[in-house]
Amino acid sequence: MYASTVRGLLVRGMLAGLIAGLFAFAVAYVVGEPPVRGSIAVEEATAAKEAAPAAGHAGHGAAAPAEEEEELVSRPVQSTVGLATGVLVYGVALGGIASLAFSFVLGRVGGFSPRATAALTAAGAFTTVYFVPFLKYPAAPPAVGNPDTIGQRTTLFFLMILLSVLLGVGAIILGRRLAPRLGNWNATLAAGAGFVVATGLAFLVLPDNTDAVKPEFPAALLWEFRVASVAVQVVMWVVFGVVFGVLGQRLLAHRTDPAGAEATAPQQASALG
């Protein structure tokens, strides 16, 4: 029974992630693509200015610069099929992982219903997997930054994700242990405060992103890109929390007490092992 229930939650989590990915793609295309196109235009204009002196020297006997290689994948394809594929795969993968986290926390962090637990799981995933790392290493458009530092920036971002998730798990464990002595509300506040303090220390220990945005890059365009990035993630996790909450509630609804009422969250957690 345990394995079949978890498998059912996993399938529903991936389905909810797919649906959330569709909504996130719509937001990414409508809200996110304009600043991406704008940043690419800024990059092309900057490259043209830098190439102009070289073209002048080429007219005086210097070798002309080599023509740029043609893109393997055109921008229209990148902004439609490529974007949709990336967002949908991302949504399905995270939906599956979040459903497993839901299976673990259901009934173990309070007597919440499956819908409320799904909402809390989505909120926790958004906070630890995206928002906290974003505060340390905010997203930047494709035209910003040195391509040679992409590997370093990616490593630091994923390291921040790992630390954030571990600190989030630690906060949950701390809250559970403090609850018998402090009560659920005070234990939650103490665990939350501990998470904030530990995250702040991680911010101080981890190195800053030295690949700063160039001064000539429009600040408004950078702001629009980062707001769009946050909006995509907010839509992704809100839709996932709502859809998975409904699907998970229906899957677990058949677990009733002898009187026919719906089983409580602790009873459902007991059934899940």
Side-chain angles (χ1 to χ4, degrees):
M1 180 65 71
Y2 169 76
S4 62
T5 302
V6 173
R7 182 167 57 250
L9 290 172
L10 176 62
V11 172
R12 285 159 177 79
M14 296 173 69
L15 176 60
L18 178 64
I19 296 173
L22 290 172
F23 281 85
F25 165 69
V27 175
Y29 183 77
V30 174
V31 180
E33 272 301 303
V36 170
R37 289 194 295 267
S39 65
I40 293 175
V42 171
E43 181 186 34
E44 292 175 346
T46 302
K49 291 180 181 179
E50 294 175 350
H57 290 303
H60 291 83
E67 294 183 359
E68 294 184 359
E69 296 182 1
E70 185 178 354
E71 290 181 331
L72 296 178
V73 181
S74 65
R75 270 299 301 160
V77 174
Q78 293 176 15
S79 61
T80 52
V81 178
L83 179 62
T85 301
V87 173
L88 292 179
V89 171
Y90 176 82
V92 171
L94 288 187
I97 295 173
S99 68
L100 296 178
F102 167 89
S103 300
F104 175 77
V105 303
L106 180 63
R108 294 182 172 91
V109 292
F112 298 105
S113 68
R115 287 185 181 181
T117 303
L120 291 174
T121 301
F126 168 77
T127 301
T128 57
V129 176
Y130 177 77
F131 191 65
V132 169
F134 174 86
L135 293 178
K136 176 64 177 177
Y137 302 113
V144 174
N146 184 355
D148 297 333
T149 64
I150 290 179
Q152 178 185 5
R153 284 181 284 159
T154 302
T155 300
L156 290 174
F157 186 74
F158 278 100
L159 179 59
M160 189 66 242
I161 291 177
L162 177 61
L163 287 175
S164 178
V165 171
L166 291 177
L167 291 174
V169 173
I172 293 174
I173 295 174
L174 177 63
R176 289 189 62 194
R177 291 187 176 181
L178 293 177
R181 288 181 291 173
L182 303 180
N184 289 335
W185 178 252
N186 291 331
T188 301
L189 291 179
F195 175 78
V196 172
V197 172
T199 301
L201 292 175
F203 279 16
L204 294 175
V205 172
L206 289 177
D208 293 330
N209 181 12
T210 57
D211 193 7
V213 178
K214 297 178 181 178
E216 61 270 18
F217 192 87
L221 189 59
L222 180 62
W223 174 254
E224 290 176 6
F225 177 84
R226 288 177 173 171
V227 170
S229 177
V230 174
V232 170
Q233 292 292 329
V234 169
V235 170
M236 170 81 76
W237 287 110
V238 168
V239 174
F240 171 81
V242 172
V243 175
F244 182 67
V246 172
L247 297 178
Q249 184 85 36
R250 290 180 177 177
L251 176 66
L252 299 172
H254 70 279
R255 301 183 180 279
T256 57
D257 58 25
E262 184 178 329
T264 63
Q267 291 171 333
Q268 293 166 341
S270 176
L272 286 173

